[in-house]
Amino acid sequence: MKYRQTDRKNQLIKGGVISIILISTPFLFYMYKYAPADQTSWDTFLGTFEAGAFSNVQNYMHALFTKITFVILTGLWFLTSNKWWRYAILVPFTMFLFQLSGVISYKVMYMDEYDFWDALPFILPIIFFLAFISHRLSKRKPSSTLDEEADEEIKKMFSDEI
């Protein structure tokens, strides 16, 4: 009984943390509005943010927090999903990570244009793995469905052949 209470408490804590993260993502997404639109450098308590290849700090923060928000959401989706196809989520997650690295390294002028080709070596094995699993699952012939098994058990229970 104690283990159930502990497990229930852990699930409640995990659910609360996930909820807080999901609730905070719209605020994180619009965080760029607090950055100055007329400066190329911004001093905060977290450090100094430089605009780099961007025209101003606000544009840099917009690109940065947009990518961070999508990395958080797809990462959370991957971690909380328990379906076999959850590995397909790694494809957009990888793309967002490459785009985020392009924003952070701000030497890349067209960050969203070339990231697909950089991420392709990571994405292709995932796609091939998913295609293989899909092919294997489609070839599998189900012996009987759960409903049919339940119907058979009910018939056996009410028949005289027990």
Side-chain angles (χ1 to χ4, degrees), residues 6-70:
T6 307
D7 189 42
R8 196 170 173 187
K9 184 178 178 182
N10 287 340
Q11 286 180 348
L12 187 63
I13 291 171
K14 286 178 188 177
V17 169
I18 290 171
S19 298
I20 290 170
I21 291 171
L22 288 174
I23 290 168
S24 68
T25 54
F27 300 108
L28 186 64
F29 187 77
Y30 289 108
M31 189 74 86
Y32 75 93
K33 291 189 176 201
Y34 296 109
D38 57 347
Q39 296 178 3
T40 58
S41 178
W42 184 34
D43 292 323
T44 66
F45 69 94
L46 297 173
T48 302
F49 292 98
E50 300 283 334
F54 295 91
S55 62
N56 57 39
V57 177
Q58 191 174 38
N59 289 345
Y60 171 69
M61 297 302 273
H62 181 264
L64 180 69
F65 282 115
T66 299
K67 302 306 177 192
I68 288 174
T69 301
F70 287 129

Short mmCIF file of all heavy atoms in Angstrom, two decimals, residues 6-70:
data_model
loop_
_atom_site.label_atom_id
_atom_site.label_comp_id
_atom_site.label_asym_id
_atom_site.label_seq_id
_atom_site.Cartn_x
_atom_site.Cartn_y
_atom_site.Cartn_z
N THR A 6 3.47 6.15 -2.76
CA THR A 6 4.70 6.78 -3.23
C THR A 6 4.67 6.94 -4.74
O THR A 6 5.05 8.00 -5.27
CB THR A 6 5.92 5.94 -2.81
OG1 THR A 6 5.86 5.71 -1.41
CG2 THR A 6 7.21 6.65 -3.15
N ASP A 7 4.22 5.90 -5.44
CA ASP A 7 4.14 5.97 -6.90
C ASP A 7 3.13 7.03 -7.33
O ASP A 7 3.37 7.77 -8.28
CB ASP A 7 3.74 4.59 -7.46
CG ASP A 7 3.84 4.54 -8.96
OD1 ASP A 7 4.83 5.07 -9.50
OD2 ASP A 7 2.93 3.96 -9.59
N ARG A 8 2.03 7.10 -6.62
CA ARG A 8 1.01 8.10 -6.92
C ARG A 8 1.54 9.52 -6.68
O ARG A 8 1.29 10.42 -7.46
CB ARG A 8 -0.20 7.83 -6.04
CG ARG A 8 -1.44 8.49 -6.47
CD ARG A 8 -2.57 7.93 -5.66
NE ARG A 8 -3.78 8.65 -5.92
CZ ARG A 8 -4.88 8.47 -5.26
NH1 ARG A 8 -4.94 7.58 -4.30
NH2 ARG A 8 -5.95 9.15 -5.55
N LYS A 9 2.31 9.68 -5.61
CA LYS A 9 2.90 10.97 -5.30
C LYS A 9 3.92 11.36 -6.38
O LYS A 9 3.95 12.51 -6.81
CB LYS A 9 3.57 10.92 -3.93
CG LYS A 9 4.13 12.23 -3.47
CD LYS A 9 4.73 12.12 -2.09
CE LYS A 9 5.34 13.43 -1.66
NZ LYS A 9 5.97 13.31 -0.34
N ASN A 10 4.73 10.40 -6.83
CA ASN A 10 5.71 10.67 -7.89
C ASN A 10 5.02 11.04 -9.19
O ASN A 10 5.47 11.95 -9.89
CB ASN A 10 6.62 9.46 -8.11
CG ASN A 10 7.62 9.28 -6.99
OD1 ASN A 10 7.90 10.22 -6.24
ND2 ASN A 10 8.15 8.08 -6.86
N GLN A 11 3.94 10.35 -9.53
CA GLN A 11 3.20 10.68 -10.74
C GLN A 11 2.58 12.07 -10.64
O GLN A 11 2.55 12.81 -11.63
CB GLN A 11 2.12 9.64 -11.00
CG GLN A 11 2.64 8.33 -11.50
CD GLN A 11 1.53 7.32 -11.75
OE1 GLN A 11 0.38 7.53 -11.35
NE2 GLN A 11 1.86 6.24 -12.41
N LEU A 12 2.11 12.43 -9.47
CA LEU A 12 1.54 13.75 -9.26
C LEU A 12 2.61 14.84 -9.41
O LEU A 12 2.37 15.87 -10.04
CB LEU A 12 0.88 13.84 -7.88
CG LEU A 12 0.10 15.11 -7.58
CD1 LEU A 12 -1.08 15.23 -8.53
CD2 LEU A 12 -0.39 15.09 -6.14
N ILE A 13 3.78 14.58 -8.88
CA ILE A 13 4.88 15.55 -9.00
C ILE A 13 5.31 15.68 -10.45
O ILE A 13 5.49 16.79 -10.96
CB ILE A 13 6.06 15.15 -8.09
CG1 ILE A 13 5.67 15.32 -6.63
CG2 ILE A 13 7.31 15.96 -8.42
CD1 ILE A 13 6.66 14.76 -5.63
N LYS A 14 5.48 14.55 -11.15
CA LYS A 14 5.87 14.59 -12.57
C LYS A 14 4.81 15.31 -13.40
O LYS A 14 5.14 16.12 -14.26
CB LYS A 14 6.08 13.17 -13.10
CG LYS A 14 7.33 12.51 -12.64
CD LYS A 14 7.43 11.11 -13.19
CE LYS A 14 8.58 10.35 -12.59
NZ LYS A 14 8.65 8.96 -13.06
N GLY A 15 3.56 15.01 -13.15
CA GLY A 15 2.48 15.67 -13.87
C GLY A 15 2.45 17.16 -13.60
O GLY A 15 2.20 17.97 -14.50
N GLY A 16 2.72 17.55 -12.36
CA GLY A 16 2.76 18.97 -12.02
C GLY A 16 3.90 19.69 -12.71
O GLY A 16 3.73 20.80 -13.23
N VAL A 17 5.08 19.06 -12.75
CA VAL A 17 6.23 19.67 -13.43
C VAL A 17 5.95 19.81 -14.93
O VAL A 17 6.23 20.86 -15.53
CB VAL A 17 7.51 18.84 -13.17
CG1 VAL A 17 8.65 19.28 -14.07
CG2 VAL A 17 7.92 18.94 -11.72
N ILE A 18 5.40 18.77 -15.53
CA ILE A 18 5.07 18.82 -16.96
C ILE A 18 4.04 19.90 -17.23
O ILE A 18 4.14 20.65 -18.20
CB ILE A 18 4.59 17.44 -17.45
CG1 ILE A 18 5.76 16.46 -17.46
CG2 ILE A 18 3.97 17.52 -18.84
CD1 ILE A 18 5.37 15.02 -17.71
N SER A 19 3.04 20.01 -16.36
CA SER A 19 2.02 21.06 -16.52
C SER A 19 2.62 22.45 -16.43
O SER A 19 2.27 23.33 -17.22
CB SER A 19 0.93 20.90 -15.46
OG SER A 19 0.28 19.68 -15.61
N ILE A 20 3.50 22.66 -15.48
CA ILE A 20 4.14 23.97 -15.33
C ILE A 20 4.97 24.30 -16.56
O ILE A 20 4.95 25.44 -17.05
CB ILE A 20 5.00 24.02 -14.04
CG1 ILE A 20 4.07 24.02 -12.82
CG2 ILE A 20 5.92 25.23 -14.02
CD1 ILE A 20 4.78 23.82 -11.50
N ILE A 21 5.69 23.32 -17.09
CA ILE A 21 6.49 23.55 -18.31
C ILE A 21 5.58 23.91 -19.47
O ILE A 21 5.84 24.87 -20.21
CB ILE A 21 7.36 22.32 -18.64
CG1 ILE A 21 8.46 22.15 -17.58
CG2 ILE A 21 7.97 22.44 -20.02
CD1 ILE A 21 9.22 20.85 -17.69
N LEU A 22 4.49 23.17 -19.63
CA LEU A 22 3.57 23.45 -20.74
C LEU A 22 2.89 24.81 -20.58
O LEU A 22 2.70 25.53 -21.56
CB LEU A 22 2.51 22.35 -20.84
CG LEU A 22 3.01 21.02 -21.37
CD1 LEU A 22 1.90 19.97 -21.29
CD2 LEU A 22 3.50 21.15 -22.80
N ILE A 23 2.53 25.17 -19.36
CA ILE A 23 1.90 26.47 -19.12
C ILE A 23 2.89 27.61 -19.36
O ILE A 23 2.50 28.68 -19.84
CB ILE A 23 1.32 26.52 -17.70
CG1 ILE A 23 0.11 25.59 -17.59
CG2 ILE A 23 0.94 27.93 -17.29
CD1 ILE A 23 -0.38 25.35 -16.19
N SER A 24 4.17 27.39 -19.08
CA SER A 24 5.15 28.46 -19.22
C SER A 24 5.63 28.67 -20.66
O SER A 24 6.24 29.72 -20.94
CB SER A 24 6.36 28.18 -18.32
OG SER A 24 7.07 27.06 -18.79
N THR A 25 5.37 27.74 -21.57
CA THR A 25 5.90 27.90 -22.93
C THR A 25 5.35 29.12 -23.67
O THR A 25 6.12 29.77 -24.38
CB THR A 25 5.69 26.63 -23.77
OG1 THR A 25 4.32 26.25 -23.75
CG2 THR A 25 6.57 25.50 -23.28
N PRO A 26 4.08 29.50 -23.55
CA PRO A 26 3.67 30.73 -24.23
C PRO A 26 4.39 31.97 -23.69
O PRO A 26 4.72 32.87 -24.45
CB PRO A 26 2.17 30.83 -23.96
CG PRO A 26 1.74 29.46 -23.63
CD PRO A 26 2.92 28.81 -22.99
N PHE A 27 4.65 32.00 -22.39
CA PHE A 27 5.38 33.12 -21.80
C PHE A 27 6.83 33.13 -22.30
O PHE A 27 7.38 34.19 -22.58
CB PHE A 27 5.33 33.06 -20.28
CG PHE A 27 3.94 33.12 -19.73
CD1 PHE A 27 3.36 32.01 -19.17
CD2 PHE A 27 3.22 34.31 -19.79
CE1 PHE A 27 2.06 32.06 -18.67
CE2 PHE A 27 1.93 34.37 -19.29
CZ PHE A 27 1.35 33.25 -18.74
N LEU A 28 7.41 31.95 -22.41
CA LEU A 28 8.77 31.83 -22.93
C LEU A 28 8.83 32.27 -24.39
O LEU A 28 9.78 32.93 -24.81
CB LEU A 28 9.27 30.39 -22.77
CG LEU A 28 10.71 30.09 -23.12
CD1 LEU A 28 11.64 30.83 -22.17
CD2 LEU A 28 10.96 28.60 -23.04
N PHE A 29 7.82 31.91 -25.14
CA PHE A 29 7.77 32.25 -26.56
C PHE A 29 7.75 33.77 -26.77
O PHE A 29 8.36 34.28 -27.71
CB PHE A 29 6.52 31.60 -27.20
CG PHE A 29 6.45 31.76 -28.68
CD1 PHE A 29 7.23 30.98 -29.51
CD2 PHE A 29 5.59 32.68 -29.23
CE1 PHE A 29 7.15 31.12 -30.89
CE2 PHE A 29 5.51 32.84 -30.62
CZ PHE A 29 6.30 32.04 -31.43
N TYR A 30 7.04 34.49 -25.91
CA TYR A 30 6.93 35.95 -26.04
C TYR A 30 7.94 36.71 -25.18
O TYR A 30 7.80 37.92 -25.00
CB TYR A 30 5.51 36.41 -25.73
CG TYR A 30 4.54 36.01 -26.80
CD1 TYR A 30 3.61 35.01 -26.59
CD2 TYR A 30 4.58 36.62 -28.05
CE1 TYR A 30 2.73 34.64 -27.58
CE2 TYR A 30 3.70 36.25 -29.05
CZ TYR A 30 2.78 35.26 -28.81
OH TYR A 30 1.92 34.89 -29.80
N MET A 31 8.94 36.05 -24.68
CA MET A 31 9.97 36.69 -23.87
C MET A 31 10.76 37.74 -24.66
O MET A 31 11.28 38.70 -24.09
CB MET A 31 10.91 35.63 -23.31
CG MET A 31 11.88 36.15 -22.30
SD MET A 31 11.08 36.47 -20.73
CE MET A 31 11.18 34.86 -20.02
N TYR A 32 10.82 37.58 -25.97
CA TYR A 32 11.61 38.49 -26.80
C TYR A 32 11.09 39.94 -26.74
O TYR A 32 11.84 40.87 -26.99
CB TYR A 32 11.63 38.01 -28.25
CG TYR A 32 10.35 38.24 -29.01
CD1 TYR A 32 10.17 39.39 -29.78
CD2 TYR A 32 9.31 37.32 -28.97
CE1 TYR A 32 8.99 39.61 -30.47
CE2 TYR A 32 8.14 37.53 -29.66
CZ TYR A 32 7.99 38.68 -30.41
OH TYR A 32 6.83 38.89 -31.10
N LYS A 33 9.82 40.11 -26.40
CA LYS A 33 9.25 41.46 -26.38
C LYS A 33 9.88 42.34 -25.30
O LYS A 33 9.77 43.56 -25.36
CB LYS A 33 7.74 41.40 -26.19
CG LYS A 33 7.04 40.84 -27.40
CD LYS A 33 5.56 40.99 -27.29
CE LYS A 33 4.94 40.49 -28.59
NZ LYS A 33 3.62 41.01 -28.80
N TYR A 34 10.53 41.73 -24.32
CA TYR A 34 11.17 42.51 -23.26
C TYR A 34 12.57 42.96 -23.65
O TYR A 34 13.17 43.77 -22.95
CB TYR A 34 11.23 41.69 -21.97
CG TYR A 34 9.86 41.38 -21.43
CD1 TYR A 34 9.34 40.10 -21.49
CD2 TYR A 34 9.07 42.39 -20.89
CE1 TYR A 34 8.07 39.82 -21.03
CE2 TYR A 34 7.80 42.12 -20.42
CZ TYR A 34 7.31 40.83 -20.48
OH TYR A 34 6.06 40.56 -20.03
N ALA A 35 13.11 42.43 -24.73
CA ALA A 35 14.44 42.83 -25.19
C ALA A 35 14.35 44.16 -25.94
O ALA A 35 13.35 44.44 -26.61
CB ALA A 35 15.02 41.76 -26.11
N PRO A 36 15.39 44.98 -25.86
CA PRO A 36 15.35 46.26 -26.57
C PRO A 36 15.45 46.07 -28.09
O PRO A 36 16.24 45.27 -28.57
CB PRO A 36 16.59 47.00 -26.04
CG PRO A 36 17.47 45.95 -25.48
CD PRO A 36 16.60 44.82 -25.06
N ALA A 37 14.62 46.82 -28.81
CA ALA A 37 14.57 46.69 -30.27
C ALA A 37 15.56 47.61 -30.96
O ALA A 37 15.74 47.52 -32.18
CB ALA A 37 13.16 46.98 -30.77
N ASP A 38 16.23 48.47 -30.21
CA ASP A 38 17.12 49.44 -30.84
C ASP A 38 18.59 49.26 -30.43
O ASP A 38 19.40 50.13 -30.68
CB ASP A 38 16.67 50.85 -30.50
CG ASP A 38 16.59 51.09 -29.00
OD1 ASP A 38 16.65 50.10 -28.24
OD2 ASP A 38 16.47 52.26 -28.59
N GLN A 39 18.93 48.13 -29.83
CA GLN A 39 20.30 47.89 -29.39
C GLN A 39 20.85 46.60 -29.99
O GLN A 39 20.09 45.67 -30.30
CB GLN A 39 20.37 47.80 -27.87
CG GLN A 39 19.98 49.07 -27.15
CD GLN A 39 20.03 48.88 -25.64
OE1 GLN A 39 20.40 47.84 -25.14
NE2 GLN A 39 19.64 49.93 -24.91
N THR A 40 22.17 46.52 -30.09
CA THR A 40 22.81 45.28 -30.56
C THR A 40 23.41 44.50 -29.40
O THR A 40 23.90 43.39 -29.59
CB THR A 40 23.91 45.58 -31.59
OG1 THR A 40 24.87 46.45 -30.99
CG2 THR A 40 23.32 46.20 -32.84
N SER A 41 23.33 45.04 -28.19
CA SER A 41 23.83 44.37 -26.99
C SER A 41 22.87 44.68 -25.84
O SER A 41 22.34 45.79 -25.73
CB SER A 41 25.23 44.89 -26.66
OG SER A 41 25.70 44.29 -25.49
N TRP A 42 22.66 43.68 -24.98
CA TRP A 42 21.73 43.85 -23.87
C TRP A 42 22.30 43.19 -22.63
O TRP A 42 22.55 41.98 -22.61
CB TRP A 42 20.38 43.24 -24.25
CG TRP A 42 19.27 43.42 -23.26
CD1 TRP A 42 19.05 44.48 -22.44
CD2 TRP A 42 18.21 42.50 -22.99
NE1 TRP A 42 17.93 44.30 -21.69
CE2 TRP A 42 17.38 43.08 -22.01
CE3 TRP A 42 17.87 41.25 -23.49
CZ2 TRP A 42 16.25 42.45 -21.51
CZ3 TRP A 42 16.74 40.62 -23.00
CH2 TRP A 42 15.94 41.22 -22.02
N ASP A 43 22.51 43.96 -21.57
CA ASP A 43 23.03 43.45 -20.30
C ASP A 43 21.87 43.06 -19.40
O ASP A 43 20.99 43.87 -19.12
CB ASP A 43 23.89 44.51 -19.60
CG ASP A 43 25.17 44.80 -20.35
OD1 ASP A 43 25.75 43.84 -20.90
OD2 ASP A 43 25.60 45.97 -20.38
N THR A 44 21.88 41.81 -18.94
CA THR A 44 20.87 41.32 -18.01
C THR A 44 21.57 40.65 -16.84
O THR A 44 22.79 40.51 -16.84
CB THR A 44 19.92 40.30 -18.69
OG1 THR A 44 20.67 39.13 -19.02
CG2 THR A 44 19.27 40.89 -19.92
N PHE A 45 20.79 40.19 -15.86
CA PHE A 45 21.38 39.48 -14.73
C PHE A 45 21.89 38.10 -15.16
O PHE A 45 22.69 37.48 -14.45
CB PHE A 45 20.39 39.38 -13.56
CG PHE A 45 19.22 38.47 -13.83
CD1 PHE A 45 19.26 37.15 -13.45
CD2 PHE A 45 18.08 38.97 -14.45
CE1 PHE A 45 18.18 36.31 -13.69
CE2 PHE A 45 17.00 38.15 -14.69
CZ PHE A 45 17.05 36.82 -14.31
N LEU A 46 21.43 37.59 -16.30
CA LEU A 46 21.90 36.31 -16.83
C LEU A 46 23.18 36.45 -17.65
O LEU A 46 23.82 35.45 -17.96
CB LEU A 46 20.81 35.67 -17.70
CG LEU A 46 19.51 35.31 -17.01
CD1 LEU A 46 18.48 34.84 -18.01
CD2 LEU A 46 19.76 34.24 -15.95
N GLY A 47 23.52 37.66 -18.01
CA GLY A 47 24.70 37.91 -18.82
C GLY A 47 24.38 38.90 -19.92
O GLY A 47 23.30 39.50 -19.96
N THR A 48 25.33 39.07 -20.83
CA THR A 48 25.16 40.01 -21.94
C THR A 48 24.75 39.24 -23.18
O THR A 48 25.38 38.25 -23.54
CB THR A 48 26.47 40.77 -22.21
OG1 THR A 48 26.85 41.45 -21.01
CG2 THR A 48 26.29 41.78 -23.32
N PHE A 49 23.70 39.70 -23.83
CA PHE A 49 23.24 39.10 -25.08
C PHE A 49 23.67 40.00 -26.24
O PHE A 49 23.39 41.19 -26.23
CB PHE A 49 21.71 38.94 -25.08
CG PHE A 49 21.22 37.91 -24.10
CD1 PHE A 49 20.74 38.30 -22.86
CD2 PHE A 49 21.24 36.56 -24.41
CE1 PHE A 49 20.29 37.37 -21.95
CE2 PHE A 49 20.79 35.62 -23.51
CZ PHE A 49 20.32 36.02 -22.28
N GLU A 50 24.35 39.42 -27.19
CA GLU A 50 24.79 40.14 -28.39
C GLU A 50 23.88 39.77 -29.55
O GLU A 50 23.50 38.61 -29.70
CB GLU A 50 26.23 39.77 -28.73
CG GLU A 50 27.24 40.08 -27.65
CD GLU A 50 27.58 41.55 -27.58
OE1 GLU A 50 27.46 42.24 -28.61
OE2 GLU A 50 27.98 42.00 -26.49
N ALA A 51 23.59 40.73 -30.42
CA ALA A 51 22.72 40.48 -31.56
C ALA A 51 23.41 39.64 -32.63
O ALA A 51 22.75 38.91 -33.37
CB ALA A 51 22.24 41.79 -32.16
N GLY A 52 24.73 39.71 -32.73
CA GLY A 52 25.45 38.92 -33.71
C GLY A 52 25.05 39.27 -35.13
O GLY A 52 25.08 40.44 -35.53
N ALA A 53 24.64 38.31 -35.91
CA ALA A 53 24.23 38.52 -37.30
C ALA A 53 22.83 39.11 -37.41
O ALA A 53 22.40 39.48 -38.50
CB ALA A 53 24.30 37.21 -38.07
N PHE A 54 22.11 39.21 -36.30
CA PHE A 54 20.77 39.78 -36.30
C PHE A 54 20.85 41.29 -36.23
O PHE A 54 21.84 41.86 -35.77
CB PHE A 54 19.95 39.24 -35.13
CG PHE A 54 19.69 37.75 -35.22
CD1 PHE A 54 20.57 36.85 -34.64
CD2 PHE A 54 18.60 37.27 -35.91
CE1 PHE A 54 20.34 35.49 -34.73
CE2 PHE A 54 18.37 35.90 -36.01
CZ PHE A 54 19.25 35.01 -35.42
N SER A 55 19.80 41.96 -36.68
CA SER A 55 19.83 43.43 -36.72
C SER A 55 19.77 44.06 -35.33
O SER A 55 20.33 45.13 -35.12
CB SER A 55 18.68 43.96 -37.58
OG SER A 55 17.44 43.57 -37.03
N ASN A 56 19.09 43.40 -34.38
CA ASN A 56 19.05 43.91 -33.01
C ASN A 56 18.82 42.75 -32.05
O ASN A 56 18.60 41.61 -32.46
CB ASN A 56 17.97 44.99 -32.86
CG ASN A 56 16.59 44.50 -33.25
OD1 ASN A 56 16.23 43.37 -32.95
ND2 ASN A 56 15.83 45.35 -33.91
N VAL A 57 18.89 43.05 -30.77
CA VAL A 57 18.77 42.02 -29.74
C VAL A 57 17.38 41.42 -29.73
O VAL A 57 17.22 40.21 -29.49
CB VAL A 57 19.13 42.61 -28.35
CG1 VAL A 57 18.94 41.57 -27.26
CG2 VAL A 57 20.54 43.11 -28.33
N GLN A 58 16.36 42.20 -30.02
CA GLN A 58 15.01 41.68 -29.99
C GLN A 58 14.82 40.61 -31.07
O GLN A 58 14.19 39.58 -30.81
CB GLN A 58 13.99 42.81 -30.18
CG GLN A 58 12.57 42.35 -29.90
CD GLN A 58 11.58 43.49 -29.93
OE1 GLN A 58 11.69 44.39 -30.76
NE2 GLN A 58 10.61 43.45 -29.04
N ASN A 59 15.38 40.81 -32.24
CA ASN A 59 15.29 39.79 -33.29
C ASN A 59 16.04 38.53 -32.89
O ASN A 59 15.59 37.40 -33.14
CB ASN A 59 15.84 40.32 -34.61
CG ASN A 59 14.94 41.35 -35.23
OD1 ASN A 59 13.77 41.47 -34.86
ND2 ASN A 59 15.47 42.10 -36.18
N TYR A 60 17.20 38.71 -32.27
CA TYR A 60 17.97 37.56 -31.79
C TYR A 60 17.20 36.79 -30.73
O TYR A 60 17.12 35.57 -30.77
CB TYR A 60 19.32 38.02 -31.25
CG TYR A 60 20.09 36.93 -30.54
CD1 TYR A 60 20.62 35.87 -31.26
CD2 TYR A 60 20.27 36.95 -29.17
CE1 TYR A 60 21.32 34.85 -30.62
CE2 TYR A 60 20.97 35.95 -28.52
CZ TYR A 60 21.49 34.90 -29.25
OH TYR A 60 22.17 33.90 -28.62
N MET A 61 16.62 37.50 -29.77
CA MET A 61 15.85 36.85 -28.70
C MET A 61 14.61 36.16 -29.26
O MET A 61 14.23 35.09 -28.77
CB MET A 61 15.46 37.87 -27.63
CG MET A 61 16.64 38.50 -26.92
SD MET A 61 17.68 37.29 -26.11
CE MET A 61 16.87 37.16 -24.56
N HIS A 62 13.99 36.75 -30.27
CA HIS A 62 12.83 36.12 -30.90
C HIS A 62 13.23 34.78 -31.51
O HIS A 62 12.57 33.76 -31.29
CB HIS A 62 12.22 37.04 -31.95
CG HIS A 62 11.02 36.45 -32.62
ND1 HIS A 62 11.09 35.79 -33.82
CD2 HIS A 62 9.72 36.38 -32.23
CE1 HIS A 62 9.89 35.36 -34.16
NE2 HIS A 62 9.04 35.71 -33.22
N ALA A 63 14.31 34.77 -32.27
CA ALA A 63 14.77 33.52 -32.89
C ALA A 63 15.19 32.51 -31.82
O ALA A 63 14.86 31.32 -31.91
CB ALA A 63 15.92 33.81 -33.84
N LEU A 64 15.89 32.97 -30.80
CA LEU A 64 16.38 32.09 -29.75
C LEU A 64 15.24 31.44 -28.97
O LEU A 64 15.19 30.22 -28.82
CB LEU A 64 17.29 32.87 -28.80
CG LEU A 64 17.89 32.09 -27.63
CD1 LEU A 64 18.91 31.09 -28.14
CD2 LEU A 64 18.50 33.04 -26.63
N PHE A 65 14.30 32.25 -28.49
CA PHE A 65 13.23 31.70 -27.66
C PHE A 65 12.21 30.91 -28.48
O PHE A 65 11.56 30.01 -27.95
CB PHE A 65 12.56 32.81 -26.84
CG PHE A 65 13.37 33.20 -25.65
CD1 PHE A 65 13.92 34.46 -25.54
CD2 PHE A 65 13.62 32.30 -24.63
CE1 PHE A 65 14.67 34.83 -24.45
CE2 PHE A 65 14.38 32.65 -23.53
CZ PHE A 65 14.91 33.91 -23.44
N THR A 66 12.06 31.21 -29.76
CA THR A 66 11.20 30.39 -30.61
C THR A 66 11.77 28.98 -30.72
O THR A 66 11.06 27.99 -30.54
CB THR A 66 11.08 31.02 -32.01
OG1 THR A 66 10.49 32.31 -31.88
CG2 THR A 66 10.21 30.17 -32.92
N LYS A 67 13.07 28.88 -30.97
CA LYS A 67 13.71 27.57 -31.10
C LYS A 67 13.72 26.84 -29.76
O LYS A 67 13.47 25.63 -29.70
CB LYS A 67 15.13 27.72 -31.64
CG LYS A 67 15.23 28.40 -32.97
CD LYS A 67 14.36 27.76 -34.02
CE LYS A 67 14.47 28.56 -35.31
NZ LYS A 67 13.48 28.20 -36.28
N ILE A 68 14.00 27.55 -28.68
CA ILE A 68 14.01 26.91 -27.36
C ILE A 68 12.62 26.36 -27.02
O ILE A 68 12.49 25.25 -26.50
CB ILE A 68 14.49 27.90 -26.27
CG1 ILE A 68 15.98 28.15 -26.42
CG2 ILE A 68 14.17 27.40 -24.88
CD1 ILE A 68 16.53 29.22 -25.50
N THR A 69 11.58 27.13 -27.33
CA THR A 69 10.21 26.67 -27.06
C THR A 69 9.90 25.39 -27.82
O THR A 69 9.36 24.43 -27.25
CB THR A 69 9.20 27.77 -27.44
OG1 THR A 69 9.49 28.95 -26.69
CG2 THR A 69 7.78 27.33 -27.16
N PHE A 70 10.26 25.33 -29.09
CA PHE A 70 9.98 24.13 -29.87
C PHE A 70 10.82 22.95 -29.43
O PHE A 70 10.36 21.80 -29.46
CB PHE A 70 10.15 24.40 -31.37
CG PHE A 70 9.05 25.26 -31.93
CD1 PHE A 70 9.34 26.38 -32.68
CD2 PHE A 70 7.72 24.94 -31.72
CE1 PHE A 70 8.33 27.17 -33.20
CE2 PHE A 70 6.70 25.72 -32.23
CZ PHE A 70 7.01 26.84 -32.97
#
